[in-house]
Amino acid sequence: MRSKIVAGNWKMNNSAKESKKLVKQIQNNITNLTLENTRVIVAPSFVYLQKVAKKTKGSPIEVAAQNMNQAAKGAFTGEISAEMLKSIHIDTVILGHSERREYYGETDAILAEKVKAALANNLEIIFCFGEVLEDRKSGKHFEVVKSQITNALFDLSAEDWSNIVLAYEPVWAIGTGETASPDQAQEMHAFIRDLVAQKYTQHLAENVSILYGGSVKPSNAEEIFSKADVDGGLIGGASLNAEDFTAIIKAI
Ligand code: PGA
């Protein structure tokens, strides 16, 4: 059975002190919750991964990285490898976020390499993709999402997919306050699951968690999460506030 997941992407926010405080608050808020088949993940900046992981030890909160480089090692100033993440006991990495694609030129081909490097190091991947507003307006959103998934993930073996979580994040909904409607999210998630079923098997597709991301907040989380093919959310802005993030966890 696929897991439900609420993941907080902190992006380039929070000092060391704020990061520790935030995770502690979330931890306190969720201690008495029964998280049945639900995973809670936070993705702080690289520099706080170890500190936050130390704070969450023994709690249900898992810690993920926001990115990694595709190369194993070498002269890549400022970069972090999959092996480095593993060496500090980080088991999950977000790849393909639209901000990485847009500001840092991460193409499908680069992402395919990153995916392979992560899997070679036994990292779980939260793989993000989604269309820009123009694609949606011109009715190309299914085509765009299909090619993003096909180009980066359809070379993988069925076994590899046990380490893949998908995150549909329409770019026009990220950080804009505008959310895809629950029906728009469901429509795309069902399309994605079908795509995976056609390429692999129905059984495999049924076991892949597909998260929605883009302006999820306490006021809309429950309705979005109520959709059959929405298995949780990747949360940006609202994950920086412990109360909001907790409310979103409770909505799942
Ligand atoms: P947002 O970001 O919740 O602030 O829209 C989502 C994301 O970028 O993952």
Side-chain angles (χ1 to χ4, degrees):
M1 187 168 64
R2 58 186 186 257
S3 321
K4 291 179 182 280
I5 301 174
V6 178
N9 175 10
W10 294 0
K11 307 190 181 181
M12 198 173 75
N13 291 296
N14 292 333
S15 65
K17 211 169 151 186
E18 286 162 347
S19 299
K20 283 195 280 184
K21 191 174 159 207
L22 178 56
V23 82
K24 189 92 211 134
Q25 283 175 327
I26 299 166
Q27 209 168 314
N28 288 341
N29 289 351
I30 67 168
T31 30
N32 294 322
L33 292 186
T34 343
L35 295 168
E36 234 172 87
N37 191 35
T38 299
R39 298 170 59 194
V40 175
I41 302 175
V42 294
S45 148
F46 284 130
V47 283
Y48 311 131
L49 283 172
Q50 279 177 294
K51 274 201 169 75
V52 172
K54 204 170 153 196
K55 281 263 170 227
T56 55
K57 224 175 173 172
S59 92
I61 303 176
E62 301 170 45
V63 181
Q66 297 175 16
N67 180 34
M68 50 158 260
N69 190 276
Q70 62 272 37
K73 58 166 74 180
F76 301 101
T77 303
E79 292 295 296
I80 310 270
S81 70
E83 197 181 327
M84 289 173 182
L85 294 176
K86 275 311 261 194
S87 75
I88 57 163
H89 312 294
I90 295 298
D91 294 322
T92 304
V93 63
I94 298 171
L95 292 178
H97 193 280
S98 68
E99 288 147 20
R100 300 294 319 171
R101 292 176 190 259
E102 186 183 350
Y103 307 140
Y104 304 99
E106 294 192 4
T107 58
D108 288 349
I110 292 172
L111 289 168
E113 285 182 46
K114 289 195 177 202
V115 165
K116 293 218 171 78
L119 292 174
N121 285 278
N122 208 18
L123 279 164
E124 175 191 48
I125 299 160
I126 299 176
F127 187 78
C128 309
F129 51 87
E131 80 281 2
V132 297
L133 188 59
E134 233 163 71
D135 297 329
R136 182 157 281 265
K137 278 188 171 157
S138 57
K140 287 201 187 122
H141 44 298
F142 292 114
E143 197 183 304
V144 167
V145 162
K146 182 178 177 180
S147 79
Q148 287 172 327
I149 293 178
T150 306
N151 294 341
L153 301 177
F154 277 2
D155 263 359
L156 303 182
S157 69
E159 293 72 54
D160 288 334
W161 276 78
S162 59
N163 275 323
I164 302 289
V165 170
L166 300 177
Y168 169 57
E169 299 207 301
V171 181
W172 49 272
I174 297 178
T176 57
E178 194 173 336
T179 326
S181 71
D183 286 341
Q184 282 174 322
Q186 170 57 26
E187 186 186 31
M188 184 58 90
H189 283 221
F191 169 79
I192 294 161
R193 204 177 299 286
D194 192 47
L195 203 64
V196 176
Q198 279 174 34
K199 171 71 189 174
Y200 296 90
T201 61
Q202 189 67 36
H203 177 74
L204 187 151
E206 289 297 337
N207 281 293
V208 177
S209 299
I210 309 177
L211 315 184
Y212 168 80
S215 298
V216 177
K217 39 193 179 249
S219 58
N220 60 22
E222 197 169 339
E223 213 191 333
I224 296 174
F225 294 165
S226 72
K227 294 295 175 185
D229 287 292
V230 179
D231 304 312
L234 181 56
I235 324 296
S239 74
L240 298 173
N241 178 295
E243 300 317 315
D244 286 353
F245 193 59
T246 307
I248 293 169
I249 297 167
K250 285 181 180 164
I252 202 144

